[in-house]
Amino acid sequence: MSRPVQALLTRLEEIVGGARVLTDPEALATRQVDHLRPSAIIQPADAAQTAEVLRFAAGEKLALVPCGGGTKLGIGAPPERYDLALDLSRMNHVLAYDPRDLTLGVEPGMRIENLLRTLSEQKQFLPLAVPFSDRATIGGIVAANSSSPLRHSYGGVRDYCLGMEFVTGEGVISKGGGRVVKNVTGYDLHKLLIGSLGTLAVITRVNFRTFPLPPAQGTFVASFSDAEPAFSFCHAVGESVLAPQIIEVADPGTAHLLFSAETPARIEPQQWSVIITAAGQSSVVDRHARELGRMASAADAIELVPLTDKETSSILARIREFPRLILEAAPAAAIFRIGVLPTAMPFLLGQLSKLAAQNHLDLATLTRASGIVFAAFLPKEENTAPSADLAKAANEVFHACGKPEISASAMLEWCPAEVKRAVGNVWGPPRKDFALMQRVKNVFDPQNVLSPGRFAGGI
Amino acid sequence: MQPKLIRELVALLGPKAVLSQPEDLMLYEYDGSVELGAPECIVLPSSTREVAEIARLARLYATPLVGRGAGTGLSGGAIARNGGIVIVFSRMNRILEIDGANQRAVVQPGVVNLDLSRAVEHLGLYFAPDPSSQKSCTIGGNVAENSGGPHTLAYGVTTNHVTGLELVLSDGEVVRIGGKTVETLGYDLDGLFVGSEGTLALVTEITVRLSRKPEAVKTLLAVYETLDDTTESVVDITVRAITPAACEMLDGFTLRAVEDFVHAGFPKDCAAVLLIEVEGLTEAVEAQAAEITEVCRLHHAREVRVARDDRERDLLWKGRKNAFGALGRLSPMYYVQDGVIPRTRLPETLRCITEVACKYDLQIGNIFHAGDGNLHPLILFDERDRAQFERVIAAGNEIMKHCIAVGGALTGEHGVGMEKNELMPLMFTPDDLALMQRVRAAFNPTGLLNPGKVLPLGKGCGEIRVLPPPASASTPA
């Protein structure tokens, strides 16, 4: 901070109120990003206060990181500068919910858990089965474009987010999109904020379309001796008329995590597992049960096990919390998020497995069959200083993903700060379109106030 | 236009691919909207490299550059409002790749929408956005306008089906954004460029997601004696959270015109019909069709008919998709709007449109994508009657203001273009518009890409102002 800190804090207190500027070390530790601590946490009450804070920060050349539940602050490159944490958790209200219209407007600090509870009272939901679901907030989920297994049937955030209100890096309240389910008016500026990690603007309202909860649901686990038949099975399901809600593939390492605690004794966790959920009328679920059984045998599955409701909720919760389970088991793990075409998945997973072995690391992968692989590299227990091995593996992953036969889009989503430093760039090698992203950044945040340096291309 | 520019374009593209005779230019001065604007030159490139060279020349000569597909747009997006070059993509009409296993296709912008679905039909796939003009409109145009169609109710508009683009920027640089995978790194540039109406870049290649054809389809026709019963049925279907693949409404006036034209089997003596389609697994379709039938009956539908076979189904859709043409037979011109309202506000909105028609003494036909609240009131008029035309515009604006007042949007699928750009302040604040203007300036700094579109002209927005040619461009004279 350029001016004496106290003078700055006094001005911020005038904007948000004295009790809403926190400086005690314990609080600051919760908003730490890659060992960097802010000088203060600012808790605005609304978009107007947020705008005033941002105008002030821009004037004082302060760097500010927006946050909610603080569950995803580790994602992205380490910030170049970090003066203030802009904590949006006070902005936690549903602003408009019209269950009859299946539309919703919500503040960024609302916890997803609370929002889903409100929606379920109307037998509705949002397809956001995302990690850290007890603390994650809407703003953070959208800004990190958190991945949900329900993407398979409902698309990503960009497909059901109708519009947003936000505050730019210059402190201007602005918006993109709208509140109705169909709308192509003006540039879709709100889409730019999805996955932008708080580098373009501070989200102050998100409008969604909501979905009816399906009347019935059934989950099935098919086990395979190898990756190849598991993916052939997924492909066959994809080419069929069936329309499952979720298709996930767990390698043996992940299956072990998913099925360990309350493992249904019937499932053998040492295998490749394909987890499929069907939803809709009960006749639709029954049809899936019949045909999946037939397809699984045709694909040489060891078995196809239907889960009870209790087992289903336990396993879907574990799938949802995959990164968290990994990080709790191995805090030093490095978890990649890789966008890849379904036909390239078996080869990619084979390459990843080789890289892990070569670098003395364990590997656990969870694959969304529609095209996202989460690959966690875990140091072996005896390895007390794994950073170098992890960094070497990470760079090899980026290299492998760049190969034409894989051409995947990889990001190192979760890893310790030391590994980030050793890898050099969690966003992988530079791409030509990063220059276009820089132009967007210059429009939204010309002073580089918001999360400087955290994003792809050094943004 | 400077003769030297035309000579350079001819040298680049060959004489057959550059049109500048008045009779040629006339063919490109209109599109599907009520707008007009005369271009000074038409170019028909055949490759990305040529498009890039054209962009460089346009910049060098400070000449506007307007992209155009089939010219079916309904908001004036493809019209050369300030003259200049119209770049027609009809020769760039190749499907470059079909990747059935990954449900992707890579196409050039001039590929006709329905041709792509036909090309992948044998794989059990199709391209979901289905504008009524899908037999002639191009995918490049769909990308520019972020087009929709009846089935967007369940499947979304164009932006939900595009994963990657090749762009030619205003200075001629070629850049790829997005890709084939469901996720790529960084900001969602596809989301920004799809629907930017040719004002940010020219699109020369499009990677699209293909959808799997459903096992079963059922098309229902519900016939009503009153408009209120019709709209209340739509509200109830929405409230019960039934999501049909399409839910279209045609009022009696429109129906009679359609039936006389297409002979689709629509009843001519009713107040309105709903054309509802459900798709998916046989079991799901049966259940949904039964539920919808129950709702329609509850709201006094006189008849709920299920299309017996593909022929009857195709005929009903032919009637719907030719509705604009049918009304066109009743009057020299029509003005079609594209406002969106929250779906539960349909009954009051339809009453508002009826009142507006009465107040301005106009005939309005109503063809709605009712299921997602996307209205297409079609106002009939004779352009030779200036006083009547002014009433048409006033009536249109009044309907639009109602849409915004109930929390809706200016356009659901036709785009803003030069038709609604001055209405943008109804929906967006000056700060919102200033940010959009700055985004445009970041990619289109000279303002030469499709000038006069999307944003209001207003003072100081730099719309028509163009940069003088750079010093090195002293050669053109």
Side-chain angles (χ1 to χ4, degrees), chain A residues 98 100-102 151 158-159 166 168 170 172-175 177 180-189 191-192 196 199-200 209 212 235 238-241 281 283-284 287-288 290 337 339-343 370-372 407 409-411 427 431-433 436-437 439-441 443-444 446 455 459, chain B residues 101-103 146 149 152-153 159-160 169 173-177 180-189 191-192 196 199-200 212 215 235 238-239 241 281 283-284 287 340-344 369 372 374 407-413 415-416 424 427-429 431-432 435-436 438-440 442-443:
Chain A
D98 188 347
R100 288 163 51 87
D101 249 315
L102 291 98
R151 186 187 219 297
R158 79 189 294 275
D159 298 302
F166 49 85
T168 67
E170 292 180 296
V172 178
I173 300 174
S174 195
K175 67 177 175 291
V180 280
V181 295
K182 190 175 181 187
N183 170 29
V184 301
T185 319
Y187 301 140
D188 268 354
L189 299 184
K191 285 205 168 73
L192 291 167
S196 67
T199 56
L200 291 179
R209 74 186 299 170
H235 185 68
E239 298 234 297
S240 76
V241 292
Q281 291 86 359
S283 56
V284 169
R287 168 93 181 267
H288 277 82
R290 287 196 304 276
R337 173 169 170 171
V340 60
L341 288 173
T343 52
S370 57
I372 301 164
S407 43
S409 180
M411 185 225 165
W427 297 96
R431 293 180 4 167
K432 205 176 167 190
D433 59 350
L436 300 194
M437 294 175 198
R439 292 196 205 183
V440 172
K441 168 76 175 180
V443 168
F444 277 81
F455 202 63
I459 288 170
Chain B
N102 292 310
Q103 296 185 211
N146 200 1
T152 53
L153 173 54
T159 191
N160 305 108
L169 303 181
E173 188 189 352
V174 180
V175 188
R176 285 177 179 276
I177 59 171
K180 274 174 87 177
T181 50
V182 292
E183 282 189 358
T184 49
L185 285 180
Y187 300 140
D188 182 5
L189 295 176
L192 173 64
S196 62
T199 62
L200 301 182
R212 188 150 301 280
E215 177 184 46
V235 172
T238 307
V239 168
L281 278 187
E283 289 84 351
V340 189
I341 51 160
R343 299 170 279 190
T344 46
H369 302 305
D372 42 25
N374 186 192
L410 288 175
T411 169
E413 55 181 12
V416 174
M424 287 287 275
M427 200 169 149
F428 293 105
T429 66
D431 283 342
D432 300 339
L435 187 65
M436 288 188 199
R438 283 168 58 188
V439 168
R440 181 173 60 184
F443 292 99

Side-chain angles (χ1 to χ4, degrees), chain A residues 187-265:
Chain A
Y187 301 140
D188 268 354
L189 299 184
H190 62 290
K191 285 205 168 73
L192 291 167
L193 304 192
I194 299 168
S196 67
L197 285 184
T199 56
L200 291 179
V202 178
I203 297 166
T204 49
R205 173 185 173 132
V206 189
N207 300 323
F208 289 109
R209 74 186 299 170
T210 60
F211 297 87
L213 278 168
Q217 209 183 34
T219 298
F220 310 88
V221 178
S223 313
F224 297 86
S225 58
D226 208 348
E228 205 75 34
F231 283 98
S232 303
F233 173 61
C234 291
H235 185 68
V237 175
E239 298 234 297
S240 76
V241 292
L242 299 181
Q245 202 187 25
I246 294 172
I247 308 185
E248 303 269 309
V249 184
D251 73 357
T254 297
H256 195 70
L257 268 180
L258 295 184
F259 301 126
S260 58
E262 299 132 66
T263 309

Side-chain angles (χ1 to χ4, degrees), chain B residues 261-303:
Chain B
F261 182 37
V262 180
H263 310 295
F266 289 122
K268 290 167 75 173
D269 62 341
C270 62
V273 299
L274 291 177
L275 180 61
I276 303 169
E277 196 150 270
V278 286
E279 293 186 350
L281 278 187
T282 309
E283 289 84 351
V285 166
E286 292 298 334
Q288 282 202 326
E291 223 177 332
I292 288 169
T293 304
E294 185 195 314
V295 172
C296 295
R297 290 255 155 79
L298 197 68
H299 293 280
H300 320 108
R302 182 174 90 188
E303 182 191 354

Side-chain angles (χ1 to χ4, degrees), chain B residues 181-258:
Chain B
T181 50
V182 292
E183 282 189 358
T184 49
L185 285 180
Y187 300 140
D188 182 5
L189 295 176
D190 287 329
L192 173 64
F193 281 87
V194 175
S196 62
E197 306 194 18
T199 62
L200 301 182
L202 294 159
V203 172
T204 47
E205 205 178 284
I206 303 139
T207 306
V208 299
R209 194 162 65 84
L210 300 170
S211 305
R212 188 150 301 280
K213 281 181 149 186
E215 177 184 46
V217 180
K218 244 188 174 92
T219 307
L220 292 86
L221 185 74
V223 183
Y224 294 87
E225 299 288 359
T226 74
L227 282 176
D228 278 345
D229 283 338
T230 322
T231 50
E232 290 294 350
S233 295
V234 176
V235 172
D236 208 2
I237 289 169
T238 307
V239 168
R240 292 179 188 217
I242 307 168
T243 307
C247 177
E248 302 283 300
M249 175 182 161
L250 290 84
D251 71 4
F253 172 70
T254 308
L255 274 175
R256 287 182 278 281
V258 167

Side-chain angles (χ1 to χ4, degrees), chain B residues 90-106:
Chain B
S90 49
R91 288 173 71 205
M92 291 177 69
N93 62 351
R94 280 183 304 140
I95 297 173
L96 301 171
E97 187 192 344
I98 293 170
D99 180 351
N102 292 310
Q103 296 185 211
R104 293 288 185 278
V106 183

